[in-house]
Amino acid sequence: MNEKNMTLRSLSIFVLLAGCSTDANHIGNPLLLPISGFGTAVENQEYTQRRGRVELAVKTNYPEILNEIRSGDGPSLRMAMDAAQVPVRDRPARITQLQGDLGLYSGNPGALVTALMVYGT
């Protein structure tokens, strides 16, 4: 290998390794991008499936859920919270929040679905 090719090769390796810093950056380690991309795709699929379960629970039982929010508990509300994966220990506080915002959810099941998704894990 001649000296020019050796220099270019060394420079190329240096540039590639510079991207493998352990410092925080907005992209992360470029060598891990295919893995993180796959992980993101799996997370998106799981989120979409969970949101579908929450939408089904809310839209199927919407009037009952609104009544149960008013009263503070009920099987349809628990089912929707289960679907959204709202932690049991957080549910009393979340129901209080839902009660305070009930005007937002009356006539808007999509807003209720979004709130439950935000409360979920």
Side-chain angles (χ1 to χ4, degrees):
M1 209 181 257
N2 67 32
E3 187 175 327
K4 183 177 179 181
N5 285 341
M6 188 69 145
T7 303
L8 284 175
R9 185 176 184 164
S10 297
L11 182 60
S12 298
I13 290 172
F14 176 75
V15 168
L16 287 174
L17 290 177
C20 297
S21 166
T22 58
D23 296 336
N25 60 55
H26 71 285
I27 297 176
N29 185 334
L31 299 175
L32 297 177
L33 286 177
I35 295 168
S36 64
F38 177 75
T40 300
V42 170
E43 288 173 8
N44 287 344
Q45 181 180 5
E46 290 171 358
Y47 176 87
T48 300
Q49 289 173 347
R50 182 168 57 105
R51 185 173 180 93
R53 290 190 299 270
V54 175
E55 284 185 20
L56 182 63
V58 168
K59 291 179 180 178
T60 302
N61 303 296
Y62 185 62
E64 294 87 5
I65 290 174
L66 292 178
N67 288 331
E68 292 172 6
I69 290 171
R70 285 184 195 93
S71 69
D73 194 22
S76 296
L77 179 58
R78 284 192 301 269
M79 183 176 66
M81 289 187 154
D82 287 344
Q85 299 175 356
V86 177
V88 174
R89 69 182 178 279
D90 295 347
R91 291 182 184 189
R94 299 307 183 198
I95 291 171
T96 300
Q97 287 176 305
L98 291 171
Q99 288 170 333
D101 294 330
L102 195 57
L104 297 172
Y105 310 125
S106 296
N108 191 349
L112 181 56
V113 169
T114 300
L116 292 172
M117 290 298 294
V118 169
Y119 299 154
T121 57

